[in-house]
Amino acid sequence: MSRQINLASRPSGWPTADNFDLVEVELPAPQEGQVLVRNLFMSVDPYMRGRMNDAKSYVPPFKLGEPLEGGTVGEVVESRAPGLAEGDLVLHGYGWREQVVVEAARVRRVDPIEGVSPTAYLGVLGMPGLTAYVGLLDVASFKEGEAVFVSGAAGAVGSIAGQIAKLKGASRVIGSAGSDEKVSHLYDLGFDAAFNYRNGPVTEQLRKAAPDGIDVYFDNVGADHLEAAIDSLNTGGRVAMCGAIAVYNATEPSPAPRNLFLAVGKRLTLRGFIVGDHSSRMRDMIAEVGGWLREGRISAQETVVDGLENAPAAFIGLMRGENTGKMIVRL
Amino acid sequence: MSRQINLASRPSGWPTADNFDLVEVELPAPQEGQVLVRNLFMSVDPYMRGRMNDAKSYVPPFKLGEPLEGGTVGEVVESRAPGLAEGDLVLHGYGWREQVVVEAARVRRVDPIEGVSPTAYLGVLGMPGLTAYVGLLDVASFKEGEAVFVSGAAGAVGSIAGQIAKLKGASRVIGSAGSDEKVSHLYDLGFDAAFNYRNGPVTEQLRKAAPDGIDVYFDNVGADHLEAAIDSLNTGGRVAMCGAIAVYNATEPSPAPRNLFLAVGKRLTLRGFIVGDHSSRMRDMIAEVGGWLREGRISAQETVVDGLENAPAAFIGLMRGENTGKMIVRL
């Protein structure tokens, strides 16, 4: 027997507890080529909100009455597949459930890292870390000496993007977040300036935080943050459009940057990206970021929630910005 | 004696005749190194609207009480400079006046082209032609087999951009314009589909004109056209942001594409550019587009207005879309 969380209904606007259904299921015994995995930690991520809609997107929607999915670290309990043994640590996409029987080809064995929690594979050394790495370096073509603004900077992706920018020689790194506690956390991470976007118009706060303008904007928020960034971007500036958490739950078309036409005179480039297109860079990211992690030069904060039954609340809390760093559910 | 048009006042919103002042001035005799040029044709272009504001931009504002400037073709009447002789055809930036005395270094001698009006140097073989060429090929990285949408497609830049796309093997070229006459002109130019944006919502008209979506959008308009393009762009699509004539005369922040967040999932790139950064490509453009012009494979329509006194009306008419192809004032 295992427990899992099914999609009960599709949210209109903000998701609520009613959209999720905690159910008990009987697992089949693993067949030849399959493994039984006990999940240890699962990830909740903003992109999951899009998959709750019945809309064509870059990932197919979750199905009603079936379990949600997402990045998960687990331990092999029973293996009928060569190359995987009981006790192996594995990474896979079958989250939102306590145990899963799955083809061995769908899981990836990972090495435990001395002194680092296996949850790192869901954050700084996983998809969020790769998002930060390729968004900053490849999509926005960040170069040493440039000034970088990161929105949602206390989140899993933003906090890593800002720290990579500092480690790579940014002249100034500015972050925005949604509480004074998070702002002070950003200073602890080494950001040069940070502000609470709830304390006043973003455009004015960013102008003050970046008096010489910015060269790169790492956008996790969209809406007013993007408008503020366009205002502060210097000639030739670049925007990595990673996500727009401000609009994921909007039921109306959302406010857009009314100053977008400035992109012409400032020769700006705005580029949207999806981390899945950049998996060939995973090896580079793990080598470089993993090195900083072992040396203690990069900090990967986590907000950990206990129990599968609390996963929906963790996800809704994530959308509301209740996490600092990576939001994880311990199973 | 010469006549010129001075900037009398700065417009707020739409320019009016009152913003311009036709005055008579006495010209000095050309000094050593200078030439006296009688202007034959001058260009009016949308970018001039920005220079009428007292605002920092990529070109300095026009000065109050002084003549406006702009691309002009003239004939040398008197030369005190080596390399330039009476009767030479020259290109320079001292428009909005009938004659000018200027340093020889500020004019460029151009060759008359057999069977082609010298006004081509203000349009298809000049700045608008280069804008179309680099915007499509360099900024938007257009590739053979792709579908292209051009807004303001009956204008000096748009009409050339659309024709270059066809000549370079676009699978489909769609244009928008502001009258049914212009739409039928676009079909004459070889566009595969065209629509009048005044006849209905741009998003719906574009969806119908491009049922398989578009890969490149050449943006001369901004606002609702950009929103429609984002809606129709396929994954990996690119936007060359060339101008936003819809917002040049706006006194309020203008409507922005409310669907800009789609750029993430669709991996779109939006890039603003200024033709002045790309002058190194002028030689390539003239070779390629000039060849098509001589072979009659590209058509460069002009709307010609007579007399310096009518230049303000020509400029205001341009902002209202009264031109088809390049708007020219014959002096």
mmCIF file of all heavy atoms in Angstrom, chain B residues 113-132:
data_model
loop_
_atom_site.group_PDB
_atom_site.id
_atom_site.type_symbol
_atom_site.label_atom_id
_atom_site.label_comp_id
_atom_site.label_asym_id
_atom_site.label_seq_id
_atom_site.Cartn_x
_atom_site.Cartn_y
_atom_site.Cartn_z
ATOM 1 N N ILE B 113 22.002 55.728 -60.191
ATOM 2 C CA ILE B 113 21.795 54.340 -60.648
ATOM 3 C C ILE B 113 20.889 54.369 -61.875
ATOM 4 O O ILE B 113 19.799 54.940 -61.821
ATOM 5 C CB ILE B 113 21.138 53.477 -59.554
ATOM 6 C CG1 ILE B 113 21.840 53.689 -58.211
ATOM 7 C CG2 ILE B 113 21.159 52.002 -59.942
ATOM 8 C CD1 ILE B 113 21.097 53.063 -57.047
ATOM 9 N N GLU B 114 21.378 53.737 -62.928
ATOM 10 C CA GLU B 114 20.623 53.630 -64.197
ATOM 11 C C GLU B 114 19.187 53.179 -63.925
ATOM 12 O O GLU B 114 18.958 52.108 -63.351
ATOM 13 C CB GLU B 114 21.352 52.587 -65.066
ATOM 14 C CG GLU B 114 20.744 52.316 -66.415
ATOM 15 C CD GLU B 114 21.147 53.392 -67.449
ATOM 16 O OE1 GLU B 114 22.283 53.924 -67.339
ATOM 17 O OE2 GLU B 114 20.316 53.693 -68.327
ATOM 18 N N GLY B 115 18.245 53.985 -64.308
ATOM 19 C CA GLY B 115 16.841 53.579 -64.231
ATOM 20 C C GLY B 115 16.227 53.616 -62.844
ATOM 21 O O GLY B 115 15.107 53.164 -62.654
ATOM 22 N N VAL B 116 16.991 54.110 -61.853
ATOM 23 C CA VAL B 116 16.479 54.150 -60.478
ATOM 24 C C VAL B 116 16.551 55.596 -59.978
ATOM 25 O O VAL B 116 17.577 56.254 -60.136
ATOM 26 C CB VAL B 116 17.302 53.219 -59.562
ATOM 27 C CG1 VAL B 116 16.868 53.364 -58.113
ATOM 28 C CG2 VAL B 116 17.179 51.765 -60.016
ATOM 29 N N SER B 117 15.482 56.068 -59.380
ATOM 30 C CA SER B 117 15.467 57.442 -58.865
ATOM 31 C C SER B 117 16.485 57.596 -57.732
ATOM 32 O O SER B 117 16.682 56.674 -56.926
ATOM 33 C CB SER B 117 14.060 57.769 -58.341
ATOM 34 O OG SER B 117 14.123 58.851 -57.439
ATOM 35 N N PRO B 118 17.130 58.772 -57.650
ATOM 36 C CA PRO B 118 18.075 58.971 -56.534
ATOM 37 C C PRO B 118 17.390 58.886 -55.170
ATOM 38 O O PRO B 118 18.069 58.722 -54.150
ATOM 39 C CB PRO B 118 18.646 60.369 -56.791
ATOM 40 C CG PRO B 118 17.728 61.024 -57.765
ATOM 41 C CD PRO B 118 17.068 59.936 -58.548
ATOM 42 N N THR B 119 16.074 58.967 -55.127
ATOM 43 C CA THR B 119 15.375 58.819 -53.841
ATOM 44 C C THR B 119 15.552 57.421 -53.255
ATOM 45 O O THR B 119 15.298 57.214 -52.070
ATOM 46 C CB THR B 119 13.866 59.094 -54.011
ATOM 47 O OG1 THR B 119 13.367 58.258 -55.067
ATOM 48 C CG2 THR B 119 13.608 60.547 -54.372
ATOM 49 N N ALA B 120 16.002 56.472 -54.089
ATOM 50 C CA ALA B 120 16.267 55.125 -53.552
ATOM 51 C C ALA B 120 17.253 55.188 -52.394
ATOM 52 O O ALA B 120 17.184 54.385 -51.464
ATOM 53 C CB ALA B 120 16.799 54.206 -54.656
ATOM 54 N N TYR B 121 18.166 56.177 -52.439
ATOM 55 C CA TYR B 121 19.146 56.313 -51.354
ATOM 56 C C TYR B 121 18.507 56.757 -50.040
ATOM 57 O O TYR B 121 19.143 56.718 -48.990
ATOM 58 C CB TYR B 121 20.260 57.278 -51.760
ATOM 59 C CG TYR B 121 21.217 56.687 -52.771
ATOM 60 C CD1 TYR B 121 21.325 57.198 -54.060
ATOM 61 C CD2 TYR B 121 22.014 55.602 -52.422
ATOM 62 C CE1 TYR B 121 22.200 56.642 -54.986
ATOM 63 C CE2 TYR B 121 22.896 55.040 -53.337
ATOM 64 C CZ TYR B 121 22.982 55.559 -54.619
ATOM 65 O OH TYR B 121 23.854 54.995 -55.506
ATOM 66 N N LEU B 122 17.269 57.204 -50.095
ATOM 67 C CA LEU B 122 16.549 57.556 -48.864
ATOM 68 C C LEU B 122 15.625 56.421 -48.442
ATOM 69 O O LEU B 122 15.035 56.476 -47.362
ATOM 70 C CB LEU B 122 15.720 58.830 -49.085
ATOM 71 C CG LEU B 122 16.504 60.063 -49.530
ATOM 72 C CD1 LEU B 122 15.551 61.239 -49.753
ATOM 73 C CD2 LEU B 122 17.568 60.425 -48.503
ATOM 74 N N GLY B 123 15.487 55.414 -49.292
ATOM 75 C CA GLY B 123 14.533 54.349 -49.010
ATOM 76 C C GLY B 123 15.161 52.984 -49.111
ATOM 77 O O GLY B 123 15.949 52.579 -48.269
ATOM 78 N N VAL B 124 14.849 52.306 -50.199
ATOM 79 C CA VAL B 124 15.226 50.902 -50.332
ATOM 80 C C VAL B 124 16.735 50.687 -50.253
ATOM 81 O O VAL B 124 17.191 49.674 -49.724
ATOM 82 C CB VAL B 124 14.619 50.325 -51.630
ATOM 83 C CG1 VAL B 124 15.101 51.077 -52.854
ATOM 84 C CG2 VAL B 124 14.907 48.836 -51.770
ATOM 85 N N LEU B 125 17.541 51.636 -50.745
ATOM 86 C CA LEU B 125 19.005 51.487 -50.667
ATOM 87 C C LEU B 125 19.610 52.363 -49.573
ATOM 88 O O LEU B 125 20.828 52.602 -49.557
ATOM 89 C CB LEU B 125 19.644 51.814 -52.021
ATOM 90 C CG LEU B 125 19.242 50.884 -53.175
ATOM 91 C CD1 LEU B 125 20.005 51.254 -54.445
ATOM 92 C CD2 LEU B 125 19.487 49.418 -52.812
ATOM 93 N N GLY B 126 18.767 52.872 -48.695
ATOM 94 C CA GLY B 126 19.256 53.740 -47.628
ATOM 95 C C GLY B 126 18.932 53.169 -46.264
ATOM 96 O O GLY B 126 18.887 51.955 -46.069
ATOM 97 N N MET B 127 18.672 54.075 -45.355
ATOM 98 C CA MET B 127 18.434 53.682 -43.976
ATOM 99 C C MET B 127 17.226 52.747 -43.837
ATOM 100 O O MET B 127 17.332 51.712 -43.161
ATOM 101 C CB MET B 127 18.295 54.960 -43.138
ATOM 102 C CG MET B 127 18.209 54.758 -41.670
ATOM 103 S SD MET B 127 16.473 54.671 -41.162
ATOM 104 C CE MET B 127 15.965 56.393 -41.355
ATOM 105 N N PRO B 128 16.108 53.038 -44.487
ATOM 106 C CA PRO B 128 14.975 52.091 -44.344
ATOM 107 C C PRO B 128 15.289 50.698 -44.907
ATOM 108 O O PRO B 128 14.910 49.691 -44.309
ATOM 109 C CB PRO B 128 13.855 52.770 -45.141
ATOM 110 C CG PRO B 128 14.205 54.229 -45.112
ATOM 111 C CD PRO B 128 15.711 54.265 -45.200
ATOM 112 N N GLY B 129 15.990 50.651 -46.036
ATOM 113 C CA GLY B 129 16.357 49.354 -46.609
ATOM 114 C C GLY B 129 17.284 48.580 -45.686
ATOM 115 O O GLY B 129 17.113 47.371 -45.481
ATOM 116 N N LEU B 130 18.248 49.294 -45.102
ATOM 117 C CA LEU B 130 19.171 48.629 -44.176
ATOM 118 C C LEU B 130 18.429 48.150 -42.928
ATOM 119 O O LEU B 130 18.710 47.066 -42.398
ATOM 120 C CB LEU B 130 20.308 49.588 -43.789
ATOM 121 C CG LEU B 130 21.396 48.988 -42.905
ATOM 122 C CD1 LEU B 130 22.106 47.824 -43.599
ATOM 123 C CD2 LEU B 130 22.416 50.058 -42.486
ATOM 124 N N THR B 131 17.476 48.949 -42.468
ATOM 125 C CA THR B 131 16.682 48.564 -41.302
ATOM 126 C C THR B 131 15.940 47.252 -41.563
ATOM 127 O O THR B 131 15.938 46.338 -40.731
ATOM 128 C CB THR B 131 15.664 49.681 -40.972
ATOM 129 O OG1 THR B 131 16.365 50.912 -40.784
ATOM 130 C CG2 THR B 131 14.865 49.351 -39.729
ATOM 131 N N ALA B 132 15.320 47.172 -42.736
ATOM 132 C CA ALA B 132 14.590 45.949 -43.099
ATOM 133 C C ALA B 132 15.549 44.763 -43.188
ATOM 134 O O ALA B 132 15.273 43.671 -42.680
ATOM 135 C CB ALA B 132 13.881 46.157 -44.432
#
